Amino acid sequence: MTAKIAILPGDGIGPEIVAEAVKVLDCLQQEHGLEVEMETANIGGAAYDESGSPLPPATLALCQAADAVLLGAVGGPQYDGLERDLRPERGLLGLRSELQLFSNLRPAILYPQLANASSLKPEIVSGLDIMIVRELTGGIYFGQPRGIRELDNGERQGYNTLVYAEHEIERIARSAFEVAMKRNKKLCSVDKANVLEVSELWREVMIRVSSEYPEVELSHMYVDNASMQLVKWPKQFDVIVTKNMFGDILSDTAAMLTGSIGMLPSASLDQNGKGMYEPIHGSAPDIAGRNTANPLATILSVAMMLRYSLGQHESAELIEQAVSEVLEQGLRTQDIADGGSSVSTREMGDAVVRALTN
Ligand code: NAD
């Protein structure tokens, strides 16, 4: 069956990097029998400029009807003055919530060829390949009640609520176990069960769901220890699953272990494995339109899409091998060139396509 992909280039470098990812998809169709249908729509600032809304109904409808969504990035300084609901980020948040994307997959992969880009010693990070599964639609960022109130003594008090219902924990657990099944079958659940009742329940549900996945080795770690271990010996992890706020923080730490923001893809999945795929970086307005952005994070997002939403594991591996090959050939965009010579966005995309056709 032909899979439908909604393509949302967005703002800044978005259109440049997405164009290279589309080239890769075209090549897989022509050379490797992949069958996909792609349709492009506006989101973010580009959509606001065209229609006055960062998430036009037609874009939402296209994404709802698609099997997967590929997004570049949204945002730019020209939109900073807009009222909150019209800002580009609103388009993205709206899409995440409309599509009920509760499971955020953030890999931190460090290709051995780029080990020097990390601020950690090469032996600690070279060949690093971990996946953080972050719960994205619950927890303290959304819990009610929340606000700033005045106490009897006139002092103000800020408050938020950390809540997780069992079904929310269960579905992120399943999502993480499924990811672990596609990798090395090791899952570490990160919590704060020594202090938080929510975490006690989290741990209990993780253990319960683990009986459905006997092949996966489940372990538990407190979040403070996890943050230390990520920096001390990150290669001990395969898949980490954690709550929204812990995942927010740990996934950025993990990304920084690799030292190259232009290399990291991400996925946000719903209950049925439909997902939105995007690089972790933003729209990089400082380099937009110069043909210098690194398209590899977006190209690797396509690999994740093929693996996690479209069940095309071989095509996913072909892309990952092609990326590794162009790095092996010494090709670098400016952000990963370490002061050496660099290739353009388009040249990098062309090199990946060449590696795919060899
Ligand atoms: P950014 O990630 O866009 O850029 C940070 C730095 O990294 C910049 O120097 C940029 O040039 C560089 N960079 C980022 N991606 C690169 C790539 N592919 N190749 C080479 N260099 C790259 O973060 P920012 O500057 O804080 O934000 C810029 C805009 O992006 C803002 O409007 C922000 O709101 C938006 N943003 C969007 C998303 C998203 O769409 N998911 C995420 C983060 C930020």
Side-chain angles (χ1 to χ4, degrees), residues 13 17 71-77 80 89 92 96 261-263 278-287 292-295 297 333 335:
I13 59 170
I17 53 182
L71 176 97
V74 298
D80 286 350
E89 298 74 23
L92 194 50
R96 282 185 189 146
I261 194 174
M263 295 292 303
E278 54 182 314
I280 68 157
H281 59 72
S283 58
D286 52 333
I287 56 166
T292 58
N294 187 345
T333 42
D335 56 314

Side-chain angles (χ1 to χ4, degrees), residues 77-294:
Q78 67 273 45
Y79 306 110
D80 286 350
L82 288 176
E83 68 178 79
R84 196 164 286 276
D85 278 349
L86 297 176
R87 288 197 199 150
E89 298 74 23
R90 280 282 136 184
L92 194 50
L93 293 175
L95 201 49
R96 282 185 189 146
S97 102
E98 288 289 339
L99 298 180
Q100 297 181 37
L101 306 173
F102 67 90
S103 177
N104 185 215
L105 274 48
R106 289 266 306 255
I109 298 170
L110 184 53
Y111 290 87
Q113 301 91 333
L114 300 178
N116 287 332
S118 175
S119 48
L120 270 70
K121 293 187 195 121
E123 64 267 28
I124 293 190
V125 287
S126 179
L128 179 75
D129 181 356
I130 59 183
M131 176 76 84
I132 299 196
V133 180
R134 166 189 172 194
E135 202 289 325
L136 200 58
T137 54
I140 198 161
Y141 293 171
F142 296 94
Q144 294 288 347
R146 60 191 293 158
I148 300 174
R149 61 191 163 204
E150 197 169 305
L151 300 175
D152 290 345
N153 66 3
E155 187 189 7
R156 289 190 309 153
Q157 183 188 54
Y159 58 101
N160 290 89
T161 308
L162 173 54
V163 278
Y164 270 108
E166 271 182 297
H167 79 272
E168 289 175 293
I169 308 174
E170 249 175 52
R171 66 182 186 180
I172 192 70
R174 285 214 175 82
S175 183
F177 277 104
E178 292 291 336
V179 170
M181 286 294 287
K182 294 193 174 92
R183 295 173 47 101
N184 293 327
K185 303 191 172 73
K186 265 177 66 185
L187 177 63
C188 179
S189 169
V190 169
D191 63 32
K192 191 73 184 166
N194 49 343
V195 179
L196 300 172
E197 284 80 358
V198 180
S199 280
E200 258 175 57
L201 182 67
W202 177 279
R203 201 176 268 219
E204 192 189 306
V205 174
M206 285 289 155
I207 292 169
R208 189 166 77 214
V209 174
S210 74
S211 66
E212 296 166 28
Y213 299 89
E215 285 174 62
V216 178
E217 179 196 320
L218 173 68
S219 61
H220 307 272
M221 195 179 277
Y222 297 139
V223 62
D224 38 351
N225 187 22
S227 74
M228 288 196 286
Q229 296 299 327
L230 264 179
V231 181
K232 190 174 170 209
W233 187 238
K235 284 191 255 186
Q236 69 185 278
F237 297 109
D238 176 25
V239 183
I240 290 174
V241 60
T242 193
K243 300 184 180 71
N244 200 342
M245 183 164 68
F246 296 164
D248 188 5
I249 299 164
L250 293 182
S251 60
D252 271 11
T253 306
M256 269 303 106
L257 295 176
T258 73
S260 22
I261 194 174
M263 295 292 303
L264 293 179
S266 78
S268 305
L269 304 179
D270 77 359
Q271 193 122 24
N272 304 314
K274 171 172 169 170
M276 178 154 83
Y277 297 81
E278 54 182 314
I280 68 157
H281 59 72
S283 58
D286 52 333
I287 56 166
R290 294 196 199 157
N291 192 25
T292 58
N294 187 345

